[in-house]
Amino acid sequence: MAELPEEFTTRLQSIIPAEKYESVINAFTGRRQLTVRINTLKNSIEEARKELEEMGIAVEQVEWMPEAFIVPVESKSQLSSSPAFNEGRIYIQAFASMLAAYVLEPEPGETVLDLAAAPGGKTLHIAAKMQNEGKLSAVEAVKGRFFKLKANLDTYGATMVRTFLMDGRAVGKKCPEMFDRILLDAPCSSEARIIAGNPKSWEHWSERKVKEAARKQKGLISSAWHSLKPGGRLVYCTCSFAPEENELAVQKLIKKFGDQVLIEDIQIPMENIQQGITEWGGKQLHPDLSKAVRVLPNEMMDGFFMISLRKEI
Ligand code: SAM
């Protein structure tokens, strides 16, 4: 069994179904397939395929997400020093991370917000889906990360994006009911980044950190909700397994806004998905929280949590 902090595995055991637990634990290796997203703002998928194949890199396209290519792990250093990478035609992006824009489904011409945006992997994906048409605002609170976000937007040609260095918790009051779609990829305890046998990877993790993250997420999700137009969609995601940072964040939102919060189904054609949980700490949660998805880690992707909410008109 992989070496992981006991406090963490004890919690995980009550989150992950028994029949999946061992494979999940064994997936905390940190070793994943390498995935790149083709930046369709700078080249077509076919052009990118040709460029990579001319570099001698074999690509496997994800059928249901054509902009995603699986490439050999050994090609990472070649890729990251290539003109395709340096000139922003491809973005090396973890596959789970690509699922957020897939679920958000932004359309050209819409008004969209990315509320916790740096370094911008998901903002860039959203801009590409919107074909740089419409309004896309990206908010980031940490200065150094904000400048990294700006640099990435520049390199990848996401000219439609307006950036804001500010606390996302203030956006709701400033911009009420403004956005058709909002992505909140919330700062979290980053449990999915824990690597078995590597204590450095969990030195910042504790149950207290989970609770701290949950407090901030509560403020951010409520701000996002204020900024969402009636009829609009909010996708909330984290790279944590903890119900306090996931289902409970939405449970609190429902407590505050009641029937205005509708939980939508999420369709992703993958097997490593677990429904949201509807009971935690001896308390029953809203039954529709089962429509959330917990992406379980495997050889292709990290763990991830996503839920899609619609604001009642
Ligand atoms: N979506 C990003 C991407 O795909 O590249 C990753 C976002 S990361 C999970 C969360 C981000 O939220 C971090 O960059 C963090 O600095 C930022 N953050 C933390 N507190 C924030 C706040 N109060 N308001 C806005 N952003 C915040």
Side-chain angles (χ1 to χ4, degrees):
M1 205 48 106
E3 189 216 322
L4 289 162
E6 200 182 326
E7 198 187 357
F8 176 64
T9 50
T10 306
R11 283 175 54 85
L12 210 54
Q13 220 158 3
S14 47
I15 300 167
I16 307 294
E19 70 279 9
K20 306 243 172 90
Y21 181 71
E22 200 173 330
S23 71
V24 166
I25 287 289
N26 289 333
F28 278 90
T29 57
R31 287 189 300 276
R32 303 275 180 254
Q33 284 177 329
L34 186 61
T35 45
V36 298
R37 187 177 50 73
I38 306 314
N39 177 21
T40 51
L41 295 175
K42 285 228 166 161
N43 58 175
S44 70
I45 293 168
E46 278 323 303
E47 284 166 341
R49 179 198 290 276
K50 191 157 173 268
E51 185 170 2
L52 295 183
E53 284 176 349
E54 279 171 6
M55 287 165 66
I57 295 173
V59 305
E60 185 191 332
Q61 187 171 28
V62 177
E63 206 180 307
W64 51 274
M65 201 195 290
E67 68 272 35
F69 285 180
I70 305 168
V71 292
V73 176
E74 312 78 63
S75 62
K76 187 159 186 184
S77 65
Q78 187 190 2
L79 273 176
S80 47
S81 59
S82 69
F85 177 77
N86 289 324
E87 293 162 20
R89 292 189 288 281
I90 59 164
Y91 190 88
I92 299 175
Q93 187 169 20
F95 188 72
S97 182
M98 300 185 207
L99 297 172
Y102 177 84
V103 172
L104 189 66
E105 295 182 305
E107 305 260 356
E110 289 184 332
T111 302
V112 178
L113 169 66
D114 185 347
L115 193 57
K122 299 181 187 72
T123 319
L124 292 169
H125 197 183
I126 294 170
K129 280 183 163 294
M130 295 177 75
Q131 298 163 26
N132 259 340
E133 285 170 26
K135 291 182 182 159
L136 175 54
S137 302
V139 170
E140 169 59 46
V142 177
K143 209 170 181 179
R145 294 179 64 87
F146 176 77
F147 288 112
K148 178 73 193 154
L149 164 71
K150 279 179 86 71
N152 273 336
L153 296 174
D154 210 29
T155 306
Y156 287 86
T159 51
M160 72 178 307
V161 186
R162 298 208 308 159
T163 51
F164 300 87
L165 174 59
M166 65 182 287
D167 190 323
R169 288 170 291 193
V171 173
K173 263 208 178 118
K174 274 203 159 85
C175 314
E177 302 197 342
M178 187 180 277
F179 299 96
D180 299 304
R181 294 176 204 258
I182 300 178
L183 175 67
L184 173 53
D185 180 26
C188 69
S189 65
S190 302
E191 291 181 343
R193 306 260 158 76
I194 288 178
I195 298 172
N198 178 356
K200 256 198 137 2
S201 72
W202 65 75
E203 68 186 2
H204 298 297
W205 182 88
S206 65
E207 230 175 301
R208 193 170 59 81
K209 286 281 175 200
V210 168
K211 294 205 170 102
E212 257 173 49
R215 265 196 297 282
K216 188 181 242 191
Q217 289 150 354
K218 185 179 171 202
L220 282 167
I221 197 171
S222 169
S223 171
W225 193 255
H226 279 292
S227 277
L228 190 65
K229 277 184 193 168
R233 172 181 292 169
L234 165 64
V235 172
Y236 175 83
C237 53
T238 73
C239 60
S240 168
F241 295 89
E244 293 90 334
E245 300 186 58
N246 296 318
E247 287 91 345
L248 289 181
V250 177
Q251 175 80 17
K252 287 175 194 153
L253 193 75
I254 295 172
K255 194 165 174 212
K256 195 163 168 192
F257 296 98
D259 293 345
Q260 205 189 33
V261 184
L262 305 174
I263 305 177
E264 301 184 305
D265 284 319
I266 293 180
Q267 305 292 346
I268 304 179
M270 301 189 322
E271 308 230 309
N272 54 320
I273 280 194
Q274 181 198 335
Q275 289 189 328
I277 61 170
T278 54
E279 193 195 330
W280 184 249
K283 285 201 188 114
Q284 285 300 321
L285 309 176
H286 194 289
D288 284 354
L289 286 166
S290 64
K291 295 181 184 175
V293 299
R294 209 174 246 91
V295 173
L296 303 179
N298 62 15
E299 69 290 341
M300 180 163 171
M301 64 196 87
D302 298 325
F304 201 52
F305 174 91
M306 277 184 297
I307 189 162
S308 177
L309 308 172
R310 165 109 25 213
K311 191 185 255 190
E312 174 88 296
I313 298 177

